[in-house]
Amino acid sequence: MIDERLVVLDLLDGVGINKNCIYGHCYLLAKYYLRVEGLNELDTRKKIFGWAAKNKLYLNTDEINVNQIIYKAQQDKTPLREKPILGISDAELRQIILRFNKKKTRRIALAILCYAKAAGDKDGNFNISISGLANWLHCSSSSLYEHINTLKEYRFIEKQAKEGQRKSWNKKTKSQQGAYRILIPLSEDAADHYLFSNDIDTLNEECFASGSSAFKDLF
């Protein structure tokens, strides 16, 4: 989710495929084939359908318009994120610890913090696929929304209502989308912990384990 190229390589190996995330999968594959492999639109389409056939996925053209996905990927000037150096500070972790006690809520807050730092703008605004986030965290979208509501209640994030982003459910692609802003102060330079290879569980264990430096002198 953070290292998009790693996500693509996993998808090509048949790892992490979720039928609720097919639109997002195809979009990342399109960006990979167009930008990284340098293929044209037709060859990119062939590759995507070949991947779908290999993994026994049916790309229903009434719901997943591959040509449209390829066009959007072509117009998207944002490069595929690859091996980003993503650091999390103890100061940021303390903002999570001060707000939430439940382990699951802290884990989701940490994941959203990582995503906001990787994909957000200078003001902390970011767009995120809820189904994609749920797939990364291995939980259901409905469960994820419950925790996101808690994050909003305790001023960790807020929902943004931008033009063209007001709907949280895209009926055509059957994907849940959200525009949010992270409200805690972000550390641009200082980092005490690092996310490697999209491994949120290892990072979560390091950050919130008993004896973690994030708890030092907190209470």
Side-chain angles (χ1 to χ4, degrees), residues 11-35:
L11 290 174
L12 293 176
D13 286 336
V15 177
I17 296 174
N18 186 323
K19 291 184 179 180
N20 293 321
C21 303
I22 297 301
Y23 184 95
H25 292 344
C26 290
Y27 190 82
L28 284 180
L29 288 170
K31 287 187 71 173
Y32 175 79
Y33 286 127
L34 290 166
R35 298 296 179 80

Side-chain angles (χ1 to χ4, degrees), residues 93-100 106 208 214-215 218-219:
L93 293 180
R94 290 187 182 107
Q95 294 292 332
I96 296 176
I97 295 166
L98 286 169
R99 285 169 169 79
F100 315 113
R106 285 180 176 177
F208 300 121
F215 289 87
L218 185 60
F219 300 108

Side-chain angles (χ1 to χ4, degrees), residues 51-177:
W51 167 80
K54 178 183 176 181
N55 292 285
K56 299 180 180 179
L57 300 171
Y58 178 60
L59 300 183
N60 188 331
T61 54
D62 289 335
E63 297 172 357
I64 304 295
N65 187 328
V66 175
N67 285 358
Q68 185 181 60
I69 291 173
I70 293 171
Y71 175 77
K72 287 185 176 181
Q74 185 71 276
Q75 298 302 306
D76 186 353
K77 303 305 179 184
T78 307
L80 205 65
R81 287 193 302 273
E82 180 181 358
K83 296 180 180 179
I85 299 175
L86 182 63
I88 301 297
S89 72
D90 281 343
E92 292 165 334
L93 293 180
R94 290 187 182 107
Q95 294 292 332
I96 296 176
I97 295 166
L98 286 169
R99 285 169 169 79
F100 315 113
N101 291 326
K102 291 184 177 180
K103 292 181 179 180
K104 289 183 179 179
T105 307
R106 285 180 176 177
R107 177 172 175 265
I108 290 168
L110 177 62
I112 289 178
L113 170 62
C114 289
Y115 189 84
K117 295 191 75 170
D121 63 18
K122 61 181 179 62
D123 296 317
N125 300 304
F126 60 96
N127 298 323
I128 193 167
S129 163
I130 300 302
S131 55
L133 179 61
N135 191 42
W136 182 32
L137 296 175
H138 304 293
C139 65
S140 67
S141 294
S142 58
S143 173
L144 182 57
Y145 267 122
E146 292 178 12
H147 292 283
I148 285 178
N149 285 335
T150 301
L151 266 56
K152 291 191 292 184
E153 288 172 5
Y154 286 87
R155 303 294 294 164
F156 185 75
I157 58 173
E158 67 179 0
K159 187 78 168 64
Q160 296 289 81
K162 294 183 178 180
E163 189 65 31
Q165 298 173 334
R166 291 191 173 92
K167 293 183 179 179
S168 61
W169 179 257
N170 187 320
K171 292 182 179 180
K172 187 173 183 60
T173 64
K174 294 190 174 181
S175 63
Q176 296 148 311
Q177 305 266 336

